[in-house]
Each structure stands twice: as C-alpha cells, then as structure tokens.
Amino acid sequence: MTAKTVRTRIQACLFLAALPAVAIALRLFYLQTIRHENLLETASKEFNRTVREVGPRGRIFDATGSLLAESIVTWDCALLKKELRDPARDLETLSSVLNLPGKELRARYRKGKNFVPVKKNLDQAAAEKVKALKLAGVRLDAHQNRYYPSGNLARNILGLVGNGRGLTGVELLYDKVLSGNVSSREIIRDGSKDGKIIFQSKTDDGRTPLDIHLTIDKNIQFFAQEVLKKYADKNRSDLAMALVQDPDTGRILALATYPEDLIKMEPVEWVYEPGSTFKTVTLSAALEKGTAALTDSFFCEKGAWALNSKVTIHDHEPEGTLSLSGVIERSSNICAAKIGLKLGVENFYFYVKSFGFGTKTGLGFYGESSGILRPIKKYRTVDLAVGSYGHGVAATPIQVINAYSAVANGGRLMETRLVDKIATADGKTVFANEPSAIRRVISKATDDAVKEVLKNVVEKGTGINAAVPGYSIAGKTGTSKKIDPGTGKYLTGKNVASFCGFFPADKPQYTILVILDNPKVLHYGGETAAPAFQEIAKKIITMRGLKPEKSLLERRAEAPVPVTD
C-alpha cells in the first residue's frame, strides 16, 4: 500500500468522522439561534409560570352612603396534570372538598391534556379550603365579579365592567380611579418530578383603588325609574327619561331611562327639539333685555299667522289677545315667535348660549352631545321665529334641566355634578366636587317674574296636570315633532312630549324633567309628561316630609280646562 493510498484513506476517515460533528453543530445552531425564541417559550411554559392578579375595584356609593357597586373576588380552580404527585389521591381529595362528583372529575382529568378546569367562582371559604390542602398542581386563579346590591337601580349610570375594566357609564368614565391593584407573580420550577420552586418574584403597580360617591339619591332614582316605566308603558312610548336635579348646587339626584340601555347614556347623548319648554328661555331673555314686559299684550292671530309666503305658524288652539303671562300659560307659538322677533337674533342667540345650549355640560361622558345650534351668521328670520318656541334647535335632556335649574335658583347657571366626592376605602376624602356657578344668566328681578309666569302655567295653563295640592309648582309643558335623520324633515304623527319644572316654586329644592319619546296613546306634554312629573314630585315630598305651603282651601275650586301642549 502506497503512502498516497494511506493518506487518502485517512482523509476519508477524517471526513466521515467530521460529518456527525458538522450535523450536530448545524443542529445546535438551528436550535440555539433560529429556534431559540420558540424553545425558550416552550421551556418557559414547562418550568415558568406568571400569575396575574387584579385587586378589587373601588366601590360606588350614592349621596346617602348606600352602596351601589362593589367587587367580589372569586377563584377558579384548575389542575396542571404534569405537576400532580398522586393524581388518584388528589382528585379524590378535591372532589370531597369541593362537593364534586368524583366520577365526573376523573373523566374530565382523563380528557384534558395538561390544564384541567375543576370548578369556577369559588367563594373565599372554598378557596381557603383548597389552599390548605397544599397540593402540587392545583391552581387557583382569582378574578373580580362586579356586584350591584340594588339590582337594576341606576345601572344606566353605573355602566358595565369587563375583564376588570370599565366599559360604560361611571365605571368607564372613572376607570382609572376605580381600578384595583394589579400584581404579577413569576414562579420558576426545576425539572424534577415534584417541580420544586427554585425562584419566585412578585411585582405590582402600586395602584390603590378609590371609592366614588355619586350625587345620585338612591330613593329619588327609584321613584324616577318606577314612575317613568308606568307612564312610558301607559302611553306606549319608544323611550322615556326622567331627570331630577338640585337647582342650588347642580347636583344630579336621578337619571332614569326606560327602557334602560347600559351602553348609551341617553340623558347626555340623546338630542331632541325641546319645543315649548324652550319658551322659558325666550321669555327670560325678553324680560331681561326689556323688549317685553308683563304688562304687554300680544295678538295671537286666531291660531294661524303667515310669517311669509312659505311659512305659516300655527297654535294648538286659536287665541285672540293675551298678556305676556297668558302667552306662556296658553303656550302660543305665534306670540312666542313675535316675542323672539322683537328680541332680535343677537339677543336671542346670546341668551340661548348663556343658558348652556350648544355646549357640553362637562360631565365627561364620551358620547355626550352639545346639541344642535346653528352659527349665528346662518340665522334667518324664520329660524329666529321658530327657535323662539323650541323648533329648529336641538338640545340634550341634561341641558334643558340645567336651564330650568338656573331659573329655579335665581338666575345662575351651575356646573352639573354627578360625582360628589372621591375617597379612600377608609373614608378619607381625596377630592370634593364643590358646587360652582358658571355664570349669572338673568337678574334676580327677571328671574322672579319668570317664576311667577311658570307658576301660572301650572295653576291655570297647560301644566295643570303637574300641580300638587298644597305646594307651589312652576314649570312648562312641551310638545315637539320628531325629525327623520335621513331626510331632515319632520315625521308625521310622531312627537316628543315633555314637562320641566321645579318646586317649591318660591324656594325651589328640586328640578324635574320628564320626556316621553313618541307616545302613542296621549300625545301632548300636558297629558303625558306633566302627570309623571306630579307623581315623582309627590313621592319626593312624602319622602322628605316637606310641609305644605298653603291649605287645600286656597286652591281654586274650579281649575280652568288647559289647552294641550
């Protein structure tokens, strides 16, 4: 054998010996470089576990301190098959402690790959029993269930929670305030059969949930919801709302909607033409600017007035000459238009804006609307005329009640309040939402005159069905047509009926707005919304023990038959 042959054979042997090493090196390169992330994730799942726990959310209370919402911690129990030391024994122990059929649990265990759910929503007592067993491979995952002690009371205000986060309503609006502490616990086990813990760490975001105290009064909210459902069903309305406010502070005492929608906040989102309830704004502006006086009288054109060749304004009932108070009492559209035209576009627009229309209230709800108020430069004579009796402008219910509360409290537009304060779990106040006036809209003298007119509306005008014997009520009815969103034209046979007022009229404590959308039995505000106002007012009077202002004998023996509006 020649030296060359020997050298060739040695080289061949070296090549063959190197092949496995090259293959192994390539495999290692593939696993350590290309598949590194996937293998790391697989190993992490095998030996590492991160448990994320969300602490309880803050509580929500009403103005009286009654609990409206709180979080209850429950636990889900599960098994990790690979970590169980004695499956037969552990399954039997769990079925006994949790009162589960052993046969069913064993069947579930056999079908599961590694993660086997055992039982959901364990209370604290059951969870403690499971923890006391100290069984390897038994997992308890805590999660939150939001509990509402009063059922559906104020649920449209409170909103919804999902996965520990607020989804709608106050739960969403104040999610950062209410959110509980989030902690993460990382556990690393070794590769032994028992999977002993070799490392664990715990981190949390340090967040402390706070409690929210609303301005809502639980009892008044209940009255509003109860009465609203009664009159909405009675008149077969598509939608109904009742709002109650403290006029001196702007605090909202009730926001009721029927049927209830937990996704939308209708009182701040829903937009409608306020109709004749808006005449109070026109009246206030005219008296404040001196373009009208209580001693003035107006000719109502016997029920029909041609504003121009294309527009004729109509009244519900033909009227002759009425005093300024009579115009509002009988709810004459024609005379309201005349008052508005005499007031002028600039003055009208100024006071509409001053009363808060065309501007969001600042409550902060994401869907809140500012209403619809066209720019002053686009106002024509017809816009001013119809706007004077609440057509051609659109408002939210919260804007309307704010405007009436301004009249009730002496002429100041107040900031709307839904949250009274934010406090720690032990009751320490972190933030107090003090009442604040935005601006003075009208003078005290003008305000007193407007109140007298609105009292007359209830005593002898269209709002007589809102009267409460022994108590002075001030307010105004409203009936407006609905607009087709698609065409922008008024719909035939569909309207919105409303009544807004306050009591006791001389020293008002409560402002109430009732709205019935598209009532199908009775149609006018004086027939539908005013009686609902009366019933809510009576319940509040009884609950608060408000003393009568005058004897029943002082009421008129025969009340006049009101016109409809």
Side-chain angles (χ1 to χ4, degrees), residues 74-78 118-122 139-143:
T74 59
W75 289 263
D76 291 347
C77 181
V118 176
K119 191 174 183 179
K120 292 185 176 183
N121 296 325
L122 300 181
R139 178 172 172 173
L140 285 171
D141 293 324
H143 60 88

Side-chain angles (χ1 to χ4, degrees), residues 440-474:
R440 172 164 287 282
V441 184
I442 52 176
S443 67
K444 184 67 168 57
T446 298
D447 189 78
D448 289 340
V450 173
K451 281 181 182 176
E452 287 301 315
V453 173
L454 295 181
K455 285 168 65 176
N456 290 338
V457 171
V458 177
E459 290 182 3
K460 54 185 177 180
T462 60
I464 197 168
N465 287 327
V468 178
Y471 298 86
S472 58
I473 308 292

Side-chain angles (χ1 to χ4, degrees), residues 2 21 40 83 114 124 171 209 242 275 321 323 380 427 441 467 497 537 556:
T2 65
L40 183 63
E83 298 182 17
N114 182 40
Q124 186 171 359
E171 296 280 16
T321 300
S323 65
R380 302 167 297 168
V441 184
R556 302 178 188 277

Side-chain angles (χ1 to χ4, degrees), residues 191-437:
S192 66
K193 182 179 178 181
D194 295 340
K196 294 180 181 178
I197 296 175
I198 59 175
F199 175 80
Q200 65 176 326
S201 66
K202 185 175 183 179
T203 59
D204 64 62
D205 60 9
R207 180 184 298 166
T208 301
L210 298 173
D211 295 338
I212 289 180
H213 295 254
L214 300 178
T215 61
I216 296 296
D217 185 300
K218 178 180 177 180
N219 296 316
I220 296 177
Q221 178 72 25
F222 174 76
F223 297 151
Q225 290 184 198
E226 182 183 51
V227 173
L228 196 63
K229 182 180 185 304
K230 172 183 173 181
Y231 283 88
D233 289 342
K234 179 180 178 181
N235 291 286
R236 292 190 286 121
S237 300
D238 294 342
L239 175 69
M241 282 172 275
L243 291 71
V244 184
Q245 186 175 37
D246 178 345
D248 283 331
T249 64
R251 298 166 71 246
I252 297 295
L253 305 178
L255 286 177
T257 305
Y258 181 80
E260 199 170 51
D261 189 336
L262 301 185
I263 305 299
K264 296 180 180 180
M265 193 64 175
E266 300 284 10
V268 302
E269 295 182 32
W270 196 69
V271 175
Y272 74 112
E273 289 194 348
S276 292
T277 56
F278 206 74
K279 290 172 183 173
T280 299
V281 175
T282 306
L283 171 68
S284 300
L287 289 174
E288 182 73 7
K289 294 302 294 182
T291 58
L294 292 179
T295 54
D296 291 345
S297 41
F298 299 84
F299 181 54
C300 298
E301 309 289 341
K302 299 298 182 180
W305 181 41
L307 182 65
N308 55 41
S309 59
K310 296 181 179 179
V311 178
T312 299
I313 298 175
H314 297 274
D315 280 342
H316 296 291
E317 299 289 338
E319 301 285 354
T321 300
L322 294 174
S323 65
L324 180 61
S325 181
V327 168
I328 307 301
E329 293 166 29
R330 308 296 285 176
S331 200
S332 169
N333 292 339
I334 293 171
C335 292
K338 289 183 176 182
I339 294 170
L341 292 173
K342 191 175 180 182
L343 179 65
V345 171
E346 290 186 359
N347 288 332
F348 174 79
Y349 200 87
F350 175 82
Y351 282 97
V352 170
K353 293 289 287 185
S354 294
F355 270 103
F357 295 97
T359 306
K360 294 181 181 180
T361 63
L363 283 177
F365 289 102
Y366 297 107
E368 181 174 0
S369 172
S370 58
I372 302 173
L373 184 64
R374 69 184 62 193
I376 189 171
K377 293 180 179 179
K378 294 185 178 181
Y379 256 74
R380 302 167 297 168
T381 300
V382 65
D383 298 320
L384 174 59
V386 300
S388 300
Y389 54 86
H391 287 248
V393 296
T396 60
I398 200 77
Q399 289 174 335
V400 173
I401 197 170
N402 283 346
Y404 270 77
S405 285
V407 174
N409 67 34
R412 296 169 297 122
L413 183 69
M414 302 297 295
E415 288 187 3
T416 313
R417 293 283 186 259
L418 183 59
V419 172
D420 203 11
K421 66 178 181 178
I422 297 174
T424 60
D426 58 3
K428 182 179 178 181
T429 299
V430 175
F431 169 73
N433 208 1
E434 299 294 340
S436 177

Side-chain angles (χ1 to χ4, degrees), residues 142-198:
H143 60 88
Q144 306 292 324
N145 282 330
R146 201 63 165 159
Y147 174 59
Y148 302 94
S150 298
N152 70 341
L153 187 74
R155 284 305 313 280
N156 63 315
I157 304 170
L158 300 176
L160 297 169
V161 174
N163 296 322
R165 295 182 177 181
L167 301 178
T168 63
V170 170
E171 296 280 16
L172 172 61
L173 184 58
Y174 291 92
D175 185 56
K176 291 183 179 180
V177 174
L178 294 167
S179 290
N181 176 59
V182 179
S183 62
S184 298
R185 185 160 46 96
E186 183 181 2
I187 300 172
I188 301 178
R189 299 178 184 274
D190 64 17
S192 66
K193 182 179 178 181
D194 295 340
K196 294 180 181 178
I197 296 175
I198 59 175

Side-chain angles (χ1 to χ4, degrees), residues 504-565:
D506 295 330
K507 294 182 179 180
Q509 298 181 38
Y510 301 95
T511 308
I512 303 175
L513 169 64
V514 177
I515 299 172
L516 298 177
D517 177 30
N518 193 28
K520 301 174 186 64
V521 179
L522 299 173
H523 303 283
Y524 295 102
E527 302 172 319
T528 58
F533 172 99
Q534 181 200 59
E535 193 162 333
I536 295 173
K538 283 182 176 180
K539 290 179 181 293
I540 293 174
I541 287 169
T542 302
M543 179 188 72
R544 295 296 190 214
L546 299 180
K547 295 181 180 181
E549 300 170 85
K550 52 189 176 182
S551 69
L552 299 180
L553 295 177
E554 291 179 356
R555 285 189 51 81
R556 302 178 188 277
E558 294 184 2
V561 178
V563 295
T564 54
D565 185 18

